[in-house]
Amino acid sequence: MNTPPTLPPPPMVTPSQPRSSFPKQAAAFSLFAPLVSFSIGIFVQPQVRGIRLAMMVFGLLQMLMIISGLVLGIIALIATKRHGREGIFGKAITGTCINGLLVLVMLLCIPGLMKAVERAKALQKQRMEQGQQ
């Protein structure tokens, strides 16, 4: 009884894990968020000037874009450890720096805005008193 020689089983091919595109998308969003925010300020804000609610909504949208760009840029930088630097690191670092500077400028402007609000309230109160006399 001659048994035919058995061949070893073919090597198992394990599918490689697909690289997540989230870090690349996060880095790209971080880079383009300030550009979109400035575009809203340049093209949309003049169209809604005088409509208080619309101005507030678009202003908040601009702030949300910048802050989310900062957060997603940081997330993309953290993801470079797992997914590699290619296509992520440059965009993420640039977007994080730009968004970080814009957030810093926003925070530094808050005291000046508060003083302007106080002056406007005082001026309005003064006008009201003059109108009653």
Side-chain angles (χ1 to χ4, degrees):
M1 278 201 214
N2 245 348
T3 60
T6 59
L7 297 172
M12 236 175 146
V13 179
T14 59
S16 64
Q17 287 185 348
R19 290 195 167 212
S20 174
S21 65
F22 176 75
K24 287 185 179 183
Q25 291 174 350
F29 181 86
S30 177
L31 184 61
F32 292 114
L35 298 174
V36 172
S37 179
F38 284 134
S39 297
I40 290 171
I42 291 171
F43 298 113
V44 177
Q45 288 286 2
Q47 302 298 320
V48 296
R49 191 168 308 272
I51 306 170
R52 184 175 289 183
L53 181 63
M55 289 176 63
M56 287 175 39
V57 167
F58 285 114
L60 289 173
L61 179 65
Q62 287 177 282
M63 288 190 328
L64 179 67
M65 290 286 292
I66 291 170
I67 292 169
S68 61
L70 176 65
V71 170
L72 286 173
I74 292 170
I75 290 171
L77 284 173
I78 293 169
T80 58
K81 291 178 184 176
R82 173 180 271 176
H83 298 280
R85 296 175 72 165
E86 187 177 329
I88 300 172
F89 188 76
K91 292 176 186 174
I93 198 76
T94 305
T96 301
C97 289
I98 293 170
N99 288 308
L101 287 173
L102 291 173
V103 168
L104 181 65
V105 168
M106 280 191 275
L107 292 174
L108 291 175
C109 288
I110 289 174
L113 291 173
M114 298 303 282
K115 287 180 184 177
V117 168
E118 289 174 14
R119 278 189 246 135
K121 286 181 181 180
L123 184 61
Q124 185 178 14
K125 184 179 179 182
Q126 183 182 18
R127 288 182 182 167
M128 293 286 283
E129 289 173 357
Q130 287 177 353
Q132 291 177 356
Q133 294 176 2

